[in-house]
Amino acid sequence: MISVFENIGIFFLAFFEATGTWFTMLWRTATWAIRPPFEGREWMRQMVRLGVDSIPVVFLTTMFTGMVMALQTFNGFQRVHAENFVGSVVALSILRELSPVLVGLMVTGRVGSSMAAEIGTMRVTEQIDALKALATDPVQYLFVPRVIAGIVMLPLLTILGDALGVWGGYLVAVRLMGANPVVYQSNTFQFLDVNDLWSGIVKSAVFGLILTLTGCVRGYYTTGGAEGVGKATTSAVVTASVIILLADFFLTKLLF
Amino acid sequence: MTEPSAVAISMQHVYKSFGPKEVLHDLSIDIERNESVVIVGGSGTGKSVTLKHIIGLLKPDRGEVYVDGKEISDMPPRELNRFRTRFGMSFQEGALFDSMSVFENIAFPLRRHTEMTEDEIRSRVAECLEQVHLSGIEEKRPSELSGGMRRRVGFARAISLKPEILLFDEPTTGLDPVFSDVVADLIVEMDQTLKTTTVTITHDMKVAFKIADRVAMLYGGAIVEQGSPADFQQSKNPIVQQFIEGRAKGPLTD
């Protein structure tokens, strides 16, 4: 019985410690982000790595999601003779929800994990200590460029995902299900509002912050050699994904 | 501190624990300017921990660390960051940044902490590589180098900002005896030509006697014996004798 309470205690202590660390690092990253020297080259490198290199993944994910959305809703809506609304439903769900969340999760898997592995390896091979010994703050040199890249690039990827998802839906509805292209197009944009686009973009910027910072923090506190790096990588992906899903709900509920 | 001008590094009654394990227990040592001190001791006795206290990578639980009369164990992070440009530190496996070439590794501190032009940086990097007898490998990646070469590139990176204090963490561990000697010669040479205060930690007595002005033995979290290499060798302390001779039986292993 006692061990049950003990374990609950240990769990909550670890939880609060991790949360505290996360926000401390967020604060340190924010204060270093506005202070020179700025690592222009490093910022560019991370933006290419997180943004440009993620385009194929985003392409596949969002386009196929748009296609499946159209297929599924067409099937369902046909039963109540509401095929005309397929375009609106696909566009709304892609812009407001699916594109930001799916892009966030895919980039977490692709980039958040590699950030944790890279920084974790630097930790266990003393490269982090070497950075400090060379009078360079690791938060400034490693965290800031990555987090900035996340905040800037995720919205751009999401916009790309929006376009691809809507286009994928259009292709399936018109080519496969025989919807009228003109009607489908006008339906797609009929109920769409600029706010729908904005809500997705704001969310994705927050997701970009979450996935990069979590990757960096998990990597930074790696202990115990190669095994530790593996654990850090896994926990970066799991933690960031969970936070993204929770944050998604609350952002949707509170802000929009 | 007796004479602040002569003492470069002073550790005063330093205590440090990691969890339940106490690593340093009332450690005190003064290191004079331009002196080369070697701290020896068995594996896991806290040699690296001691070295990391000198450059502020670790903070003591109790006690103070002074460098040039400034207490670095109590310095705010940003001031400490700036203060570290006075140090050059070489790590066990070199700790080169593996995402960069040799040139970029050595140029890294120059780009960040000096106003040098690209040409000046290029010639300074070549100069540093020449100092460690590795000219012309600028474009190689750290993964293409042997362990000994990585170590020496680490030295080159450590001296690029012309530091006043050089710290070597196990410079010869994992190298063959001949190469250990080459590295030891190199440390002596750097110490003399660059006129630095040098602190080296090692468990290789041959290396220690070669590069030290003074040898100090770390045992039980504190300095138990120190003196010139000649005095140290003659020490009556059974701990020191056992360590120098590398015997399995004695006070160290009891």
Side-chain angles (χ1 to χ4, degrees), chain B residues 172-198:
Chain B
T172 60
T173 303
L175 301 181
D176 66 57
V178 175
F179 212 87
S180 292
D181 202 52
V182 171
V183 167
D185 280 338
L186 190 59
I187 292 175
V188 173
E189 189 187 320
M190 288 199 289
D191 182 50
Q192 282 163 1
T193 56
L194 305 170
K195 297 196 174 24
T196 54
T197 307
T198 306

mmCIF file of all heavy atoms in Angstrom, chain B residues 172-198:
data_model
loop_
_atom_site.group_PDB
_atom_site.id
_atom_site.type_symbol
_atom_site.label_atom_id
_atom_site.label_comp_id
_atom_site.label_asym_id
_atom_site.label_seq_id
_atom_site.Cartn_x
_atom_site.Cartn_y
_atom_site.Cartn_z
ATOM 1 N N THR B 172 46.217 11.691 -22.184
ATOM 2 C CA THR B 172 46.849 10.534 -22.846
ATOM 3 C C THR B 172 46.073 9.232 -22.681
ATOM 4 O O THR B 172 46.507 8.203 -23.179
ATOM 5 C CB THR B 172 48.269 10.305 -22.282
ATOM 6 O OG1 THR B 172 48.156 10.067 -20.873
ATOM 7 C CG2 THR B 172 49.150 11.496 -22.521
ATOM 8 N N THR B 173 44.927 9.283 -22.019
ATOM 9 C CA THR B 173 44.175 8.041 -21.812
ATOM 10 C C THR B 173 43.782 7.413 -23.145
ATOM 11 O O THR B 173 43.291 8.093 -24.034
ATOM 12 C CB THR B 173 42.903 8.328 -20.985
ATOM 13 O OG1 THR B 173 43.301 8.928 -19.768
ATOM 14 C CG2 THR B 173 42.144 7.057 -20.690
ATOM 15 N N GLY B 174 44.044 6.130 -23.266
ATOM 16 C CA GLY B 174 43.659 5.430 -24.483
ATOM 17 C C GLY B 174 44.654 5.543 -25.622
ATOM 18 O O GLY B 174 44.401 5.056 -26.714
ATOM 19 N N LEU B 175 45.796 6.207 -25.361
ATOM 20 C CA LEU B 175 46.823 6.299 -26.404
ATOM 21 C C LEU B 175 47.935 5.295 -26.093
ATOM 22 O O LEU B 175 48.171 4.953 -24.931
ATOM 23 C CB LEU B 175 47.418 7.702 -26.449
ATOM 24 C CG LEU B 175 46.440 8.838 -26.724
ATOM 25 C CD1 LEU B 175 47.183 10.157 -26.764
ATOM 26 C CD2 LEU B 175 45.697 8.616 -28.030
ATOM 27 N N ASP B 176 48.639 4.840 -27.125
ATOM 28 C CA ASP B 176 49.739 3.902 -26.863
ATOM 29 C C ASP B 176 50.894 4.653 -26.193
ATOM 30 O O ASP B 176 50.949 5.881 -26.229
ATOM 31 C CB ASP B 176 50.163 3.196 -28.153
ATOM 32 C CG ASP B 176 50.770 4.144 -29.155
ATOM 33 O OD1 ASP B 176 51.759 4.821 -28.817
ATOM 34 O OD2 ASP B 176 50.254 4.223 -30.287
ATOM 35 N N PRO B 177 51.827 3.921 -25.537
ATOM 36 C CA PRO B 177 52.871 4.566 -24.730
ATOM 37 C C PRO B 177 53.696 5.578 -25.520
ATOM 38 O O PRO B 177 54.029 6.648 -24.995
ATOM 39 C CB PRO B 177 53.748 3.402 -24.269
ATOM 40 C CG PRO B 177 52.909 2.194 -24.378
ATOM 41 C CD PRO B 177 51.908 2.453 -25.466
ATOM 42 N N VAL B 178 54.012 5.238 -26.745
ATOM 43 C CA VAL B 178 54.831 6.143 -27.548
ATOM 44 C C VAL B 178 54.069 7.434 -27.805
ATOM 45 O O VAL B 178 54.576 8.539 -27.619
ATOM 46 C CB VAL B 178 55.229 5.485 -28.891
ATOM 47 C CG1 VAL B 178 55.983 6.471 -29.762
ATOM 48 C CG2 VAL B 178 56.059 4.236 -28.639
ATOM 49 N N PHE B 179 52.801 7.257 -28.189
ATOM 50 C CA PHE B 179 52.023 8.450 -28.497
ATOM 51 C C PHE B 179 51.736 9.273 -27.249
ATOM 52 O O PHE B 179 51.678 10.498 -27.310
ATOM 53 C CB PHE B 179 50.730 8.063 -29.217
ATOM 54 C CG PHE B 179 50.312 9.115 -30.175
ATOM 55 C CD1 PHE B 179 50.800 9.109 -31.465
ATOM 56 C CD2 PHE B 179 49.499 10.153 -29.772
ATOM 57 C CE1 PHE B 179 50.467 10.117 -32.345
ATOM 58 C CE2 PHE B 179 49.162 11.168 -30.636
ATOM 59 C CZ PHE B 179 49.634 11.144 -31.928
ATOM 60 N N SER B 180 51.578 8.586 -26.100
ATOM 61 C CA SER B 180 51.408 9.310 -24.837
ATOM 62 C C SER B 180 52.586 10.240 -24.614
ATOM 63 O O SER B 180 52.436 11.384 -24.183
ATOM 64 C CB SER B 180 51.331 8.328 -23.665
ATOM 65 O OG SER B 180 50.162 7.590 -23.733
ATOM 66 N N ASP B 181 53.777 9.729 -24.909
ATOM 67 C CA ASP B 181 54.984 10.521 -24.712
ATOM 68 C C ASP B 181 55.002 11.719 -25.652
ATOM 69 O O ASP B 181 55.395 12.821 -25.258
ATOM 70 C CB ASP B 181 56.210 9.635 -24.926
ATOM 71 C CG ASP B 181 57.425 10.214 -24.239
ATOM 72 O OD1 ASP B 181 57.321 10.513 -23.023
ATOM 73 O OD2 ASP B 181 58.449 10.413 -24.911
ATOM 74 N N VAL B 182 54.566 11.487 -26.890
ATOM 75 C CA VAL B 182 54.503 12.580 -27.859
ATOM 76 C C VAL B 182 53.568 13.682 -27.340
ATOM 77 O O VAL B 182 53.888 14.870 -27.361
ATOM 78 C CB VAL B 182 53.995 12.065 -29.228
ATOM 79 C CG1 VAL B 182 53.724 13.225 -30.172
ATOM 80 C CG2 VAL B 182 54.998 11.100 -29.836
ATOM 81 N N VAL B 183 52.410 13.257 -26.828
ATOM 82 C CA VAL B 183 51.438 14.226 -26.319
ATOM 83 C C VAL B 183 51.994 14.949 -25.096
ATOM 84 O O VAL B 183 51.829 16.167 -24.944
ATOM 85 C CB VAL B 183 50.094 13.525 -26.001
ATOM 86 C CG1 VAL B 183 49.191 14.439 -25.187
ATOM 87 C CG2 VAL B 183 49.401 13.120 -27.281
ATOM 88 N N ALA B 184 52.697 14.194 -24.221
ATOM 89 C CA ALA B 184 53.290 14.825 -23.040
ATOM 90 C C ALA B 184 54.320 15.878 -23.450
ATOM 91 O O ALA B 184 54.325 16.994 -22.912
ATOM 92 C CB ALA B 184 53.936 13.767 -22.146
ATOM 93 N N ASP B 185 55.151 15.543 -24.431
ATOM 94 C CA ASP B 185 56.118 16.519 -24.944
ATOM 95 C C ASP B 185 55.413 17.767 -25.449
ATOM 96 O O ASP B 185 55.859 18.891 -25.227
ATOM 97 C CB ASP B 185 56.924 15.905 -26.103
ATOM 98 C CG ASP B 185 58.042 15.014 -25.587
ATOM 99 O OD1 ASP B 185 58.447 15.186 -24.419
ATOM 100 O OD2 ASP B 185 58.496 14.133 -26.347
ATOM 101 N N LEU B 186 54.320 17.499 -26.139
ATOM 102 C CA LEU B 186 53.560 18.603 -26.723
ATOM 103 C C LEU B 186 53.013 19.534 -25.646
ATOM 104 O O LEU B 186 53.033 20.759 -25.786
ATOM 105 C CB LEU B 186 52.418 18.005 -27.551
ATOM 106 C CG LEU B 186 51.637 18.941 -28.445
ATOM 107 C CD1 LEU B 186 52.573 19.602 -29.444
ATOM 108 C CD2 LEU B 186 50.569 18.162 -29.174
ATOM 109 N N ILE B 187 52.537 18.937 -24.549
ATOM 110 C CA ILE B 187 51.991 19.764 -23.459
ATOM 111 C C ILE B 187 53.100 20.614 -22.842
ATOM 112 O O ILE B 187 52.918 21.809 -22.591
ATOM 113 C CB ILE B 187 51.307 18.877 -22.400
ATOM 114 C CG1 ILE B 187 50.052 18.245 -23.000
ATOM 115 C CG2 ILE B 187 50.943 19.695 -21.165
ATOM 116 C CD1 ILE B 187 49.352 17.262 -22.104
ATOM 117 N N VAL B 188 54.284 19.993 -22.640
ATOM 118 C CA VAL B 188 55.418 20.743 -22.103
ATOM 119 C C VAL B 188 55.749 21.906 -23.035
ATOM 120 O O VAL B 188 55.930 23.055 -22.602
ATOM 121 C CB VAL B 188 56.652 19.825 -21.942
ATOM 122 C CG1 VAL B 188 57.872 20.637 -21.546
ATOM 123 C CG2 VAL B 188 56.366 18.736 -20.921
ATOM 124 N N GLU B 189 55.776 21.609 -24.327
ATOM 125 C CA GLU B 189 56.118 22.615 -25.326
ATOM 126 C C GLU B 189 55.094 23.761 -25.308
ATOM 127 O O GLU B 189 55.456 24.932 -25.317
ATOM 128 C CB GLU B 189 56.140 21.928 -26.695
ATOM 129 C CG GLU B 189 56.690 22.765 -27.818
ATOM 130 C CD GLU B 189 56.503 22.049 -29.154
ATOM 131 O OE1 GLU B 189 56.698 20.804 -29.205
ATOM 132 O OE2 GLU B 189 56.114 22.717 -30.124
ATOM 133 N N MET B 190 53.795 23.407 -25.254
ATOM 134 C CA MET B 190 52.764 24.442 -25.246
ATOM 135 C C MET B 190 52.858 25.274 -23.983
ATOM 136 O O MET B 190 52.742 26.504 -24.021
ATOM 137 C CB MET B 190 51.369 23.804 -25.349
ATOM 138 C CG MET B 190 51.081 23.235 -26.713
ATOM 139 S SD MET B 190 49.319 22.990 -27.016
ATOM 140 C CE MET B 190 48.976 21.639 -25.963
ATOM 141 N N ASP B 191 53.095 24.598 -22.864
ATOM 142 C CA ASP B 191 53.203 25.293 -21.591
ATOM 143 C C ASP B 191 54.323 26.318 -21.635
ATOM 144 O O ASP B 191 54.190 27.434 -21.121
ATOM 145 C CB ASP B 191 53.430 24.256 -20.478
ATOM 146 C CG ASP B 191 53.509 24.905 -19.104
ATOM 147 O OD1 ASP B 191 52.602 25.701 -18.802
ATOM 148 O OD2 ASP B 191 54.456 24.624 -18.353
ATOM 149 N N GLN B 192 55.452 25.920 -22.274
ATOM 150 C CA GLN B 192 56.599 26.825 -22.305
ATOM 151 C C GLN B 192 56.441 27.934 -23.328
ATOM 152 O O GLN B 192 56.689 29.100 -23.027
ATOM 153 C CB GLN B 192 57.879 26.029 -22.570
ATOM 154 C CG GLN B 192 58.343 25.336 -21.296
ATOM 155 C CD GLN B 192 59.347 24.233 -21.573
ATOM 156 O OE1 GLN B 192 59.723 23.990 -22.722
ATOM 157 N NE2 GLN B 192 59.779 23.555 -20.513
ATOM 158 N N THR B 193 56.002 27.593 -24.559
ATOM 159 C CA THR B 193 55.934 28.635 -25.588
ATOM 160 C C THR B 193 54.773 29.588 -25.347
ATOM 161 O O THR B 193 54.853 30.754 -25.683
ATOM 162 C CB THR B 193 55.806 28.027 -27.002
ATOM 163 O OG1 THR B 193 54.673 27.172 -27.015
ATOM 164 C CG2 THR B 193 57.038 27.249 -27.390
ATOM 165 N N LEU B 194 53.670 29.094 -24.763
ATOM 166 C CA LEU B 194 52.503 29.966 -24.599
ATOM 167 C C LEU B 194 52.472 30.631 -23.227
ATOM 168 O O LEU B 194 51.637 31.473 -22.967
ATOM 169 C CB LEU B 194 51.213 29.175 -24.818
ATOM 170 C CG LEU B 194 51.122 28.433 -26.149
ATOM 171 C CD1 LEU B 194 49.930 27.499 -26.156
ATOM 172 C CD2 LEU B 194 51.039 29.412 -27.310
ATOM 173 N N LYS B 195 53.388 30.215 -22.346
ATOM 174 C CA LYS B 195 53.488 30.793 -21.001
ATOM 175 C C LYS B 195 52.150 30.781 -20.268
ATOM 176 O O LYS B 195 51.669 31.801 -19.780
ATOM 177 C CB LYS B 195 54.015 32.222 -21.084
ATOM 178 C CG LYS B 195 55.429 32.277 -21.654
ATOM 179 C CD LYS B 195 56.069 33.597 -21.368
ATOM 180 C CE LYS B 195 57.530 33.648 -21.776
ATOM 181 N NZ LYS B 195 57.927 32.697 -22.826
ATOM 182 N N THR B 196 51.549 29.621 -20.205
ATOM 183 C CA THR B 196 50.255 29.510 -19.554
ATOM 184 C C THR B 196 50.398 28.849 -18.190
ATOM 185 O O THR B 196 51.388 28.200 -17.893
ATOM 186 C CB THR B 196 49.309 28.622 -20.370
ATOM 187 O OG1 THR B 196 49.956 27.374 -20.603
ATOM 188 C CG2 THR B 196 48.938 29.262 -21.677
ATOM 189 N N THR B 197 49.377 29.042 -17.374
ATOM 190 C CA THR B 197 49.208 28.236 -16.180
ATOM 191 C C THR B 197 48.523 26.957 -16.660
ATOM 192 O O THR B 197 47.509 27.029 -17.347
ATOM 193 C CB THR B 197 48.287 28.964 -15.184
ATOM 194 O OG1 THR B 197 48.813 30.269 -14.978
ATOM 195 C CG2 THR B 197 48.191 28.204 -13.878
ATOM 196 N N THR B 198 49.093 25.802 -16.328
ATOM 197 C CA THR B 198 48.562 24.567 -16.887
ATOM 198 C C THR B 198 48.154 23.616 -15.778
ATOM 199 O O THR B 198 48.921 23.383 -14.846
ATOM 200 C CB THR B 198 49.621 23.889 -17.779
ATOM 201 O OG1 THR B 198 50.075 24.829 -18.746
ATOM 202 C CG2 THR B 198 49.052 22.679 -18.487
#
